[in-house]
Amino acid sequence: MADIEKKIPLHVAVTMDGNGRWATKQNLPRTKGHQEGLSVAKKIVKAASDAGVKYLTLYTFSTENWKRAQEEVGFLMNLIHVHLIGELQFYKDNGIRIRHAGDISALPQNIQNDLNDAMDKTKDFTGLTLNLAINYGGRDEILRGVKKIIDKGYKSGDITEEVIRQNLDFPDCPDVDLLIRTGGEYRLSNFLLWHVAYSEQVYTDTLWPDYTEEEFLKNLGEFSTRNRRFGKEK
């Protein structure tokens, strides 16, 4: 474990895929899959914190997820609401700072209030920073960032990568070192398009409700074996 700890990724991002398919396999409603998935998410947050990961971004609800059945969307919004209120003490006990990524203005008002309250009450914590990507899309993030730059009056010659980064959703957060996607799909699905430019990526067939802390640590271990050159020759 010592060698893994020396190369622990600073920023891990996770696409938590497979809740609906897990529920279908169990002959259960899709909502049950989301409930199980939320339980797993809490375990992975704790495992990441204990392992020394400093930033964890969870793809919680995408800009495309609004296209799902209204009943499912409503259930997910309520699940987020209940979680943010009910698990706030868990985040406090573990020194976890909550951040939000995505367009908060398009979320229901109660979810906006929950997020702002959680971010305010955990803003001074120095442990794991948990980025909750809710109503998030990579292209939408970049588009909103470009609009901010224009509104600030930048001239084209003054725009650098750093200027763009400072106008994205979490400018103080480092690029993603390790991207994990469960559920057997091999695509980014509009997740953190700017931030994963040089990320290592791990894809697993495990459906998210079946994903365990042990598999998460195994994925961290796989990261430690990668030869990261960032375009350079070693």
Side-chain angles (χ1 to χ4, degrees):
M1 185 67 181
D3 290 339
I4 294 177
E5 290 176 345
K6 290 178 182 177
K7 296 184 179 181
I8 206 77
L10 184 63
H11 183 182
V12 178
V14 183
T15 300
M16 305 176 290
D17 194 18
N19 290 339
R21 281 173 286 155
W22 178 88
T24 299
K25 283 188 173 184
Q26 310 288 329
N27 292 318
L28 296 170
R30 289 175 60 86
T31 52
K32 182 61 176 177
H34 295 309
Q35 286 180 316
E36 290 295 322
L38 184 59
S39 175
V40 170
K42 181 179 177 180
K43 294 176 183 177
I44 298 306
V45 168
K46 183 66 165 63
S49 178
D50 291 345
V53 174
K54 295 302 294 181
Y55 299 88
L56 177 67
T57 302
L58 299 181
Y59 206 2
T60 308
F61 188 90
S62 77
T63 50
E64 289 73 37
N65 286 157
W66 297 108
K67 300 173 185 177
R68 295 186 177 184
Q70 186 175 356
E71 181 182 359
E72 184 175 357
V73 170
F75 180 87
L76 286 168
M77 288 296 112
N78 186 63
L79 201 60
I80 292 169
H81 168 67
V82 171
H83 174 79
L84 287 170
I85 293 176
E87 297 297 345
L88 187 57
Q89 191 60 48
F90 163 77
Y91 295 121
K92 290 181 177 180
D93 291 343
N94 289 280
I96 295 170
R97 181 175 63 153
I98 302 296
R99 299 292 297 276
H100 172 256
D103 183 1
I104 195 170
S105 67
L107 289 168
Q109 189 60 54
N110 66 327
I111 304 297
Q112 294 185 43
N113 296 340
D114 297 336
L115 283 168
N116 286 323
D117 185 58
M119 288 189 286
D120 181 64
K121 289 179 178 177
T122 64
K123 63 184 179 182
D124 295 324
F125 293 163
T126 58
L128 172 73
T129 292
L130 175 63
N131 300 311
L132 296 175
I134 305 173
N135 193 32
Y136 176 87
R139 289 181 174 180
D140 180 69
E141 179 189 20
I142 294 170
L143 177 60
R144 287 184 287 105
V146 170
K147 289 180 178 179
K148 290 178 189 176
I149 292 170
I150 292 172
D151 290 343
K152 291 175 181 178
Y154 276 90
K155 296 185 181 301
S156 61
D158 298 328
I159 298 175
T160 63
E161 284 194 14
E162 184 57 26
V163 168
I164 295 173
R165 176 189 295 278
Q166 288 300 318
N167 287 278
L168 296 179
D169 286 351
F170 34 76
D172 58 339
C173 188
D175 283 345
V176 175
D177 295 304
L178 174 64
L179 171 67
I180 300 170
R181 178 166 185 156
T182 64
E185 303 289 356
Y186 295 79
R187 54 178 176 267
L188 293 177
S189 294
N190 201 20
F191 187 36
L192 301 176
L193 300 181
W194 177 274
H195 313 276
V196 299
Y198 275 102
S199 68
E200 299 300 317
Q201 299 176 20
V202 172
Y203 296 88
T204 171
D205 291 334
T206 305
L207 300 176
W208 180 249
D210 291 327
Y211 192 69
T212 63
E213 299 99 311
E214 289 76 19
E215 185 168 2
F216 178 71
L217 294 177
K218 180 181 177 181
N219 294 156
L220 297 190
E222 185 172 344
F223 170 83
S224 73
T225 69
R226 301 287 180 91
N227 180 14
R228 307 187 76 200
R229 296 189 297 275
F230 299 96
K232 301 174 183 177
E233 188 63 41
K234 281 195 177 182

